[in-house]
Amino acid sequence: MNDLSRQRYFDEPEGADPDPAETLEWREALLSLAATQGPARARQILDELARLARQQRIGWQPELNTPYVNTIAVEDQPAFPGDLAVEERLASLMRWNALAMVVRANQAYGELGGHIASYASAADLFETGFNHFFRAGRDGDLVFFQPHSAPGVYARAFLEGRLSEADLLHYRQEITAPASGARGLSSYPHPWLMPDFWQFPTGSMGIGPISSIYHARFMRYLTHRQLQNCEGRKVWGVFGDGEMDEPESMSALTLAARERLDNLVWVVNCNLQRLDGPVRGNGRIIDELEKLFAGAGWNVIKLVWGSDWDGLFARDTTGALVRAFAATVDGQMQTFAAKDGRFNRDNFFGQNEELARLAQGMTDEQIDRLKRGGHDLVKIHAAYAAAAAHTGQPTVILAQTKKGYGMGSAGQGKMTTHSQKKFEGADLIEFRNRFNLPLTDEQATGLSFFKPADDSAEMRYLREHRERLGGAMPRRETTCEVLPVPAIDTYANFALLAGGKEMSTTMAFVRMLGGLLKDKQLGPRIVPIVADEARTFGMANLFKQVGIYSSVGQRYAPEDIGSVLSYREALDGQILEEGISEAGALASWTAAATSYSVHGLAMLPFYIYYSMFGFQRVGDAIWAAADQRARGFLLGATSGRTTLGGEGLQHQDGSSHLVAATIPNCKAWDPAFAGELAVILDAGMREMLVEQQDVFHYVTLMNENYANPDLPEGAAAGVLQGGYHFGRFGADSATQRVTLLGSGAILTEVIQAAQTLASEGFGVDVFSITSWSELARDGMAHGEGSHLTRLLADGTGPVIAATDYVRAVPESVRAFVPEGRRYLTLGTDGFGRSDTRAALRAFFQVDAANIAKRARAVTS
């Protein structure tokens, strides 16, 4: 297509032209400028004209949408570097083995489910990456795979010899597979379930996109802090167009552009269809996404039409095709995908004489086989190469495909195709024929897996290209050097021997963190993370100590530059200040918490935030981090429903411990005193950095100042088991006895209640509960021999448990209270309120007065 022809495609005049001759002069002038002085000069002039238009208040700005054609012109495509015929045969084999795996599983067990259509649309997008771009290994690329396409990734691993036929026969059968000498294959990418295979969990829509952005940013962080050189490495993400509706998918686009993350490439598989129907039936999702990404500052590459269309575009000198595409919404495009060549001849090319002439000489079969861009290996390679070479911006490739591509009448482009997993014999024969598979009718209808001979051209090609790119992938590695942890008394002696000094656990944590940051070995590996609340949590002193990370340093003199606590951004800054984005901060934490496996470099992230905005707000992202085997600390500050006086309903957390308890590799703690916190942090660091266990820790902190005692001698073991005997109040000979359990901020109320009751003649035992969930897990594991049962074994009388959380939290240990002892729980069920701490605790009946009142009632 010549320059003048291409220009016609980009012309969409607004209304009638009052002076066509003048318009032609302007057009010819611009084309002449571009031809003689190059695109850069043309852009400079257009920018100047745009500035002039704004000055004159003409009310114009460039459209963010370009015509519905490929961004990369055919004359700009690089030569395809591979063997196209071999790659197409390999892609066909992947498609077949993926289909056979899912259909066989559903023939055997109809309840298993599975997806074929997503991978059918994305197979060529994946294969181009596997053969030419996705570099494996610790110094390679990170790849986020579209979750519903997992069967295709298993199919490739089968050809590579990483999975056996027996493994494929146990798709979605992880429990029963070992009995047959096979490994079960998880439904979607799950590092927890397949820890040597999948690197990133992407099954929860939207989590993969935001995570990929923060992983790309974290690689820059490691480079700028000179901890690891990540230059030249890419983060690739293959996501769905429907997935872009998730708020997490879109929430960090501007961060990627602002940080100039040219190490990030997204491929959005625009098959135009969600589970139930079109993504944008009455619009065009590619146009919408182009506006969003371009407006956010991304480099946008549209990959819409395959090479078969190049001849049609070349013959179309009037722009009829582009006009037709502009008038075709996605719902209609989906219908074209589902129908045959005759239908498309009559209903697309038959719209007018210009289009009909373009289709003259083409058979119905040729029309039926016109490829969309995402199914053309040559076009895909050109787009990927351009994306990999682009600098200064992240890139998104909007690749148009057909959902269920090649599934013919059984599913291509149909409304029901997402859940299609059953095929009749004729459908299988049709699929076999469509992709020229080397299968007999019997093999096709019998769903036989096919693997070429080891010395075949296909297998040699597959191995050679992966070896050139660093080996097979996806592949998760866990080897990582042990990171020493300093002795607890070097940074937390003030907490262990508090001597009655008043402090909040938040204040104690920040002081410990400051000490840990000074350690020569551990300090540089610590990643403090906040979501715009550092000053709230008393961390402003760290601004100068370690600085806030900025990819451009600090280009301004801060207003408080003369202050001891002045705001300091730096290229080698250590704090990640993520702004008001809990989702972003959690994604940042995940990137740091999984650095040991992704980069082979252990990092220790501490993400501190309002506890109410953690598990409630980004609980799904926390589950994804758990799946990815994250190691680090989440710190829920100002926790509890009554500790944050005056804030009200949405700021008062009464449930995070309940949710945290549901995540198997999360250890949740509610320490009341600084000494308890110190023991928990020390043990957690050793567990994750020295023992290298795949756990993470959730610790709730309070902003309330109260007297902190020394940690009782010998109490450390009990702290880590979930609770210990804090003290006995009243005479040992007292006939009325009661046991009080308390955690977090409410432990001080429990102690006051014990003192009151002791003055009235009661004998009271007080236990500090540092983790209700750890007590419950221990109880389920050991029954009557549980830690809580043993703690309470020597006591008599009723047991009362009080927390700043809903009663379901202390109720979780009811089964492990010794038989015969009455158990009463107090909590903060219901909505929060705005008032003072004292008023709130009285309202929820968890203050000292109400605890004592309940004790009198149950012992009378």
Side-chain angles (χ1 to χ4, degrees):
M1 187 183 298
N2 60 39
D3 289 341
L4 186 57
S5 297
R6 283 189 63 80
Q7 185 59 32
R8 284 176 180 152
Y9 286 110
F10 284 75
D11 289 339
E12 290 292 338
E14 185 179 315
D17 189 341
D19 193 343
E22 182 183 29
T23 302
L24 183 60
E25 289 178 9
W26 280 92
R27 290 174 56 180
E28 290 177 343
L30 178 61
L31 291 172
S32 175
L33 178 69
T36 58
Q37 299 189 45
R41 178 59 177 161
R43 287 194 295 269
Q44 188 178 33
I45 293 299
L46 288 171
D47 287 341
E48 180 58 32
L49 290 174
R51 279 192 291 271
L52 186 61
R54 286 193 293 271
Q55 288 174 5
Q56 297 300 312
R57 294 178 172 81
I58 291 174
W60 172 89
Q61 61 183 19
E63 279 286 337
L64 291 175
N65 271 137
T66 58
Y68 210 71
V69 297
N70 293 341
T71 300
I72 301 172
V74 62
E75 60 267 24
D76 296 330
Q77 287 178 196
F80 187 72
D83 186 320
L84 188 58
V86 171
E87 290 196 27
E88 287 180 338
R89 288 199 297 273
L90 281 170
S92 297
L93 291 176
M94 307 301 178
R95 281 191 171 92
W96 171 257
N97 286 327
L99 180 148
M101 178 176 63
V102 174
V103 176
R104 288 182 70 150
N106 278 277
Q107 284 183 346
Y109 306 97
E111 68 200 76
L112 288 180
H115 300 86
I116 303 167
S118 292
Y119 177 69
S121 67
D124 298 303
L125 300 173
F126 282 121
E127 284 305 301
T128 303
F130 278 126
N131 287 322
H132 300 283
F133 294 95
F134 299 163
R135 297 184 304 116
R138 282 280 173 72
D139 59 349
D141 300 334
L142 315 185
V143 183
F144 289 75
F145 292 96
Q146 188 179 15
H148 292 102
S149 295
V153 182
Y154 294 141
R156 170 169 265 269
F158 169 61
L159 291 195
E160 292 173 334
R162 301 173 64 202
L163 297 177
S164 68
E165 186 169 320
D167 297 332
L168 298 194
L169 287 171
H170 287 85
Y171 172 61
R172 291 189 167 192
Q173 299 164 62
E174 297 164 72
I175 297 172
T176 55
S180 301
R183 72 179 301 179
L185 305 182
S186 61
S187 53
Y188 308 121
H190 288 301
W192 188 267
L193 300 174
M194 297 180 69
D196 62 334
F197 194 91
W198 294 114
Q199 223 176 1
F200 305 108
T202 55
S204 187
M205 298 290 97
I207 302 299
I210 190 172
S211 184
S212 72
I213 291 174
Y214 281 89
H215 271 282
R217 203 278 296 268
F218 189 70
M219 287 162 68
R220 288 285 172 82
Y221 173 88
L222 292 177
T223 300
H224 288 155
R225 292 195 55 225
Q226 299 182 10
L227 294 171
Q228 187 175 92
N229 185 2
C230 297
E231 294 293 337
R233 299 173 65 191
K234 295 282 186 185
V235 177
W236 296 82
V238 183
F239 308 117
D241 49 356
E243 185 175 5
M244 294 300 106
D245 283 346
E246 290 285 4
E248 293 91 348
S249 297
M250 297 285 109
S251 64
L253 295 187
T254 54
L255 176 136
R258 185 170 68 247
E259 299 280 327
R260 299 169 64 85
L261 297 179
D262 52 18
N263 61 341
L264 176 67
V265 180
W266 280 12
V267 181
V268 180
N269 176 20
C270 297
N271 58 33
L272 313 184
Q273 190 174 333
R274 292 188 298 229
L275 278 69
D276 295 332
V279 176
R280 293 291 183 273
N282 297 305
R284 285 183 295 278
I285 187 62
I286 288 180
D287 285 350
E288 182 178 317
L289 293 178
E290 181 182 25
K291 283 185 178 180
L292 282 168
F293 281 94
W298 286 52
N299 174 43
V300 179
I301 297 176
K302 289 165 75 170
L303 173 60
V304 188
W305 306 113
S307 300
D308 297 338
W309 288 88
D310 290 339
L312 295 173
F313 280 116
R315 297 200 304 272
D316 179 21
T317 58
T318 65
L321 275 176
V322 171
R323 289 194 299 275
F325 293 143
T328 305
V329 295
D330 284 354
Q332 188 61 44
M333 199 74 76
Q334 181 188 358
T335 300
F336 291 146
K339 303 297 184 180
D340 60 14
R342 169 54 62 179
F343 181 91
N344 281 272
R345 179 190 297 280
D346 294 341
N347 292 275
F348 180 75
F349 289 104
Q351 294 179 72
N352 56 55
E353 291 184 5
E354 292 173 298
L355 292 174
R357 280 196 298 270
L358 291 176
Q360 283 179 356
M362 297 179 68
T363 65
D364 290 347
E365 184 180 5
Q366 285 174 320
I367 291 175
D368 189 49
R369 286 178 175 260
L370 286 170
K371 289 181 179 178
R372 296 184 180 180
H375 300 305
D376 188 313
L377 298 177
V378 173
K379 297 289 188 185
I380 297 169
H381 181 273
Y384 282 20
H390 188 76
T391 58
Q393 293 172 288
T395 294
V396 62
I397 298 170
L398 303 176
Q400 182 169 245
T401 64
K402 293 180 181 180
K403 192 154 190 178
Y405 178 65
M407 290 167 61
S409 58
Q412 180 173 286
K414 293 184 179 295
M415 293 290 189
T416 57
T417 190
H418 183 82
S419 300
Q420 183 71 31
K421 49 188 172 285
K422 296 180 181 178
F423 283 76
E424 302 299 329
D427 298 325
L428 295 168
I429 295 294
E430 182 184 354
F431 191 94
R432 188 269 318 266
N433 294 340
R434 171 68 181 79
F435 293 106
N436 298 315
L437 293 162
L439 299 167
T440 65
D441 287 358
E442 185 179 7
Q443 288 173 320
T445 55
L447 293 165
S448 298
F449 296 119
F450 185 84
K451 187 174 185 179
D454 201 50
D455 61 349
S456 66
E458 291 83 2
M459 294 297 284
R460 290 198 307 271
Y461 190 93
L462 181 144
R463 288 193 299 269
E464 288 168 5
H465 278 68
R466 282 316 310 165
E467 286 168 7
R468 195 178 304 155
L469 291 168
M473 73 176 328
R475 184 175 74 229
R476 182 175 179 274
E477 300 178 40
T478 58
T479 54
C480 180
E481 289 186 1
V482 167
L483 184 58
V485 174
I488 190 172
D489 58 3
T490 63
Y491 63 90
N493 213 43
F494 76 94
L496 299 172
L497 303 173
K501 183 179 179 181
E502 288 205 353
M503 69 181 94
S504 67
T505 48
T506 298
M507 181 192 304
F509 163 72
V510 173
R511 185 172 170 182
M512 290 181 217
L513 179 62
L516 288 169
L517 285 165
K518 294 174 183 175
D519 184 78
K520 290 183 178 180
Q521 288 181 288
L522 177 62
R525 304 285 191 90
I526 291 175
V527 185
I529 302 171
V530 291
D532 200 42
E533 292 286 0
R535 295 185 192 276
T536 302
F537 304 133
M539 297 173 64
N541 62 307
L542 299 181
F543 292 165
K544 276 200 170 181
Q545 181 180 340
V546 295
I548 298 165
Y549 171 70
S550 166
S551 61
V552 296
Q554 192 162 34
R555 296 175 172 175
Y556 61 93
E559 169 274 328
D560 59 354
I561 193 168
S563 166
V564 175
L565 305 178
S566 65
Y567 202 77
R568 184 176 75 87
E569 298 186 70
L571 188 65
D572 61 350
Q574 199 159 345
I575 301 169
L576 289 173
E577 215 286 10
E578 301 299 3
I580 305 175
S581 174
E582 286 84 7
L586 202 284
S588 200
W589 178 84
T590 303
T594 56
S595 177
Y596 74 93
S597 64
V598 175
H599 305 294
L601 184 74
M603 302 293 287
L604 182 62
F606 291 90
Y607 170 30
I608 184 170
Y609 56 90
Y610 271 120
S611 66
M612 191 61 169
F613 303 140
F615 283 86
Q616 171 180 294
R617 186 123 183 194
V618 291
D620 198 15
I622 296 175
W623 268 100
D627 191 349
Q628 201 176 328
R629 297 172 173 258
R631 300 173 183 172
F633 288 97
L634 295 173
L635 300 131
T638 58
S639 71
R641 188 146 282 159
T642 68
T643 192
L644 190 59
E647 288 285 355
L649 190 154
Q650 283 187 290
H651 282 64
Q652 294 171 347
D653 165 33
S655 58
S656 67
H657 273 282
L658 191 63
V659 183
T662 66
I663 301 177
N665 54 339
C666 173
K667 293 190 174 184
W669 309 93
D670 189 31
F673 300 122
E676 298 172 352
L677 174 62
V679 169
I680 291 165
L681 292 182
D682 176 72
M685 289 188 291
R686 296 182 189 283
E687 191 175 32
M688 295 183 291
L689 301 176
V690 179
E691 300 169 21
Q692 299 193 359
Q693 295 189 35
D694 293 342
V695 297
F696 65 98
H697 295 258
Y698 174 59
V699 186
T700 44
L701 304 174
M702 278 71 68
N703 64 338
E704 181 180 358
N705 291 317
Y706 45 72
N708 275 245
D710 292 351
L711 184 71
E713 187 175 350
V719 168
L720 298 176
Q721 289 175 288
Y724 66 95
H725 187 250
F726 177 80
R728 177 164 290 175
F729 298 80
D732 289 343
S733 58
T735 56
Q736 287 185 303
R737 304 204 63 83
V738 65
T739 297
L740 302 181
L741 313 182
S743 69
I746 301 304
L747 180 60
T748 60
E749 302 288 341
V750 165
I751 293 169
Q752 290 179 45
Q755 292 168 339
T756 298
L757 292 168
S759 68
E760 298 171 2
F762 283 80
V764 186
D765 283 297
V766 172
F767 290 84
S768 175
I769 304 302
T770 52
S771 177
W772 299 98
S773 56
E774 287 302 295
L775 286 178
R777 289 170 179 173
D778 176 74
M780 286 184 281
H782 298 102
E784 292 183 1
S786 72
H787 179 63
L788 181 62
T789 304
R790 286 184 278 108
L791 276 181
L792 302 179
D794 294 334
T796 57
V799 180
I800 300 175
T803 79
D804 215 4
Y805 304 92
V806 293
R807 290 177 56 211
V809 173
E811 282 290 336
S812 66
V813 303
R814 175 178 290 276
F816 315 114
V817 174
E819 189 175 351
R821 299 191 68 182
R822 186 175 178 185
Y823 185 57
L824 178 68
T825 58
L826 306 178
T828 55
D829 294 69
F831 285 118
R833 298 289 192 279
S834 297
D835 217 308
T836 63
R837 288 193 189 104
L840 288 169
R841 289 171 184 168
F843 175 81
F844 286 108
Q845 300 183 358
V846 292
D847 61 340
N850 274 287
I851 294 169
K853 180 180 178 181
R854 293 298 182 92
R856 297 186 198 102
V858 295
T859 54
S860 61

